[in-house]
Amino acid sequence: AVVSTQSTGESLTSIYWEERTAKPRQLIGIYLQLSKSRLTTLVVLTALAGFAFNPVSGSWAALAGVSTGTFLCSGAANACNQVMEAPFDAQMDRCKQRVMVRHLITPLHGITFSAVAGSLGTLVLYHMCNPLTAALGAANILLYAGVYTTMKRYTIANTWLGSIVGAIPPAMGWAAASGTLNTGALAMCGIIYFWQFPHFNALSYNIRQDYCRAGYHMMSVVDVGLNARVSLRNTAALIPLCAVIPFTGISHCSFSFYSILVNAYFTYLAWNFYRTPDKQTARELFRFSLVYLPILFGFLAIGYAFKERTGSDARHHQEGAYMQELFVSSTDQPTTS
C-alpha cells in the first residue's frame, strides 16, 4: 500500500491508502529481487565448484538438487534479511530501491516467501542430495538471517560471521557429491572465507557513509585502519592456503605456482589499500576481487584436469606393465609332453 494525498480546497489535505496488487509476472521479478538473484547465483556457483572439484563423482540428480536447493536457501536468507533491514536500507543510497523499501509487497508476504523458499530448499537438499547437505543449507539460513543480520547493528564481528556463512556453500556442493567433508572441502571453504575480507572491506570503504547513516557497525565505519589491515592479512593468507591445495588431492602441483602469481598481485593491491586507504586503492582492490575467483578456479580446474589425466596415464602404464609381466611369466613356464 502507498500513501496518497489530495487537496480538497483551502488548506485541507486528506490522506488515504491505495492498495497496490502485483500481477503474477511482476511477482516473479519481485521475488528475484527479494532473493538478490545475482548474489544468489554466485553462491550457487561456489557450491557447484565444491561439487565439481570433489574427486568423488556425484550423480546428475545430486547436481540438480544442490543447484536448486542452494538457490532456494540463499534466496530465503536474503529475503528474510531484506524484510528485517527495510527501515535501515531506506537510509542507504545503495539499498533504497530494494523491494521492501519501496513497499512493493508487505512484510508478511516477504517473510512468507522466505519461509516457503527455505523449507523447499532444505527438502530438496535432503531428498536429492543427503542429510548433511540439507543441514548445511538450513544452518546457512539461520546464521545469515538469524544471527548475522542482527549482529550488523551491534558489532564489527558480523564481518567474520558473514564470511563463515559465505564459505559454507562450497562445503554443501562437496557434501552433495560424496556425502562427507574432508580437507579438500575445507580448502575450498578457506578460499571463499579469506577472499571475502578484501572483497567486502574494499566495497564497504567507499560506501561507509551509507553504513554510518543506517547505523551498521562495519569495520570501514568504526576503524578504517583495522578495515585495511584485516583485508591485507586475509589476502596474504590465500598464498599458503592455495600453495598446499595440491596436497588435498583436488589439483595438480602446478596449481601452487600459478596461484602464487595471482595471490601475489592480489596481496599487492591489498598492501596498497593498507598503506594508502582511499577511494582509488579500495576501488582497485574491489575490482580485482571480482575477477579473482574466476581466475583462481580456472587454474584449479586446469590442475584438476591435468591431475586426472596424469593419474589415468599412470594407471594405464601400471596395468600395461602387469599384463606384460603376466605374459612373460606364462611363456616362461615349462611345457609337458
Side-chain angles (χ1 to χ4, degrees):
V2 292
V3 177
S4 297
T5 61
Q6 183 181 23
S7 296
T8 59
E10 296 185 4
S11 60
L12 260 177
T13 302
S14 62
I15 302 176
Y16 60 92
W17 291 89
E18 287 182 351
E19 185 176 0
R20 175 182 291 169
T21 304
K23 297 178 181 179
R25 285 186 179 180
Q26 293 174 317
L27 278 178
I28 294 174
I30 288 172
Y31 290 154
L32 288 175
Q33 293 179 55
L34 198 59
S35 304
K36 299 182 183 176
S37 57
R38 285 187 294 183
L39 175 61
T40 293
T41 300
L42 176 62
V43 171
V44 173
L45 290 175
T46 60
L48 292 180
F51 187 94
F53 290 122
N54 192 326
V56 177
S57 298
S59 66
W60 286 104
L63 177 62
V66 75
S67 301
T68 305
T70 302
F71 191 93
L72 289 169
C73 287
S74 177
N78 287 324
C80 187
N81 169 267
Q82 287 197 56
V83 172
M84 295 172 67
E85 293 186 343
F88 314 114
D89 286 346
Q91 302 172 58
M92 299 178 64
D93 291 336
R94 176 171 174 259
C95 305
K96 63 184 179 183
Q97 293 302 317
R98 287 180 173 175
V99 168
M100 300 310 303
V101 177
R102 295 163 60 199
H103 302 287
L104 297 181
I105 58 175
T106 64
L108 177 60
H109 191 159
I111 284 294
T112 302
F113 168 78
S114 174
V116 171
S119 300
L120 285 176
T122 305
L123 286 173
V124 167
L125 292 172
Y126 183 87
H127 289 289
M128 297 187 69
C129 300
N130 49 62
L132 176 58
T133 310
L136 290 171
N140 225 15
I141 296 174
L142 292 174
L143 284 174
Y144 186 81
V147 184
Y148 168 74
T149 298
T150 304
M151 284 182 67
K152 288 167 66 177
R153 306 286 304 165
Y154 299 102
T155 171
I156 61 173
N158 72 81
T159 305
W160 280 268
L161 179 65
S163 294
I164 293 174
V165 171
I168 290 177
M172 294 170 63
W174 191 282
S178 61
T180 59
L181 298 175
N182 56 24
T183 54
L186 294 178
M188 295 291 296
C189 295
I191 290 175
I192 303 298
Y193 176 82
F194 291 122
W195 165 81
Q196 287 178 93
F197 288 95
H199 172 75
F200 178 75
N201 287 8
L203 169 66
S204 65
Y205 179 86
N206 282 339
I207 58 172
R208 62 190 186 280
Q209 293 84 359
D210 262 7
Y211 283 121
C212 184
R213 273 198 305 271
Y216 289 125
H217 285 242
M218 298 298 178
M219 274 186 282
S220 58
V221 175
V222 177
D223 190 336
V224 174
L226 177 64
N227 186 63
R229 288 196 301 275
V230 169
S231 300
L232 177 60
R233 285 200 295 262
N234 285 274
T235 308
L238 286 164
I239 297 176
L241 173 63
C242 292
V244 301
I245 275 183
F247 296 101
T248 66
I250 63 175
S251 191
H252 190 260
C253 59
S254 60
F255 173 76
S256 298
F257 171 74
Y258 295 123
S259 68
I260 287 175
L261 300 179
V262 180
N263 286 320
Y265 183 67
F266 201 15
T267 304
Y268 166 74
L269 294 177
W271 167 255
N272 285 343
F273 179 52
Y274 166 72
R275 187 179 55 183
T276 312
D278 57 29
K279 289 187 175 181
Q280 180 62 27
T281 55
R283 191 176 296 114
E284 290 175 352
L285 179 60
F286 174 71
R287 286 176 176 171
F288 186 74
S289 73
L290 295 176
V291 299
Y292 172 82
L293 288 181
I295 293 173
L296 192 74
F297 283 162
F299 284 134
L300 193 61
I302 293 171
Y304 181 84
F306 190 69
K307 175 182 174 294
E308 290 296 303
R309 175 64 184 272
T310 54
S312 177
D313 289 345
R315 287 192 297 271
H316 174 75
H317 291 315
Q318 290 174 358
E319 291 170 359
Y322 171 75
M323 294 300 295
Q324 186 177 9
E325 291 174 3
L326 184 63
F327 176 76
V328 171
S329 63
S330 64
T331 56
D332 288 346
Q333 289 180 359
T335 59
T336 57
S337 57

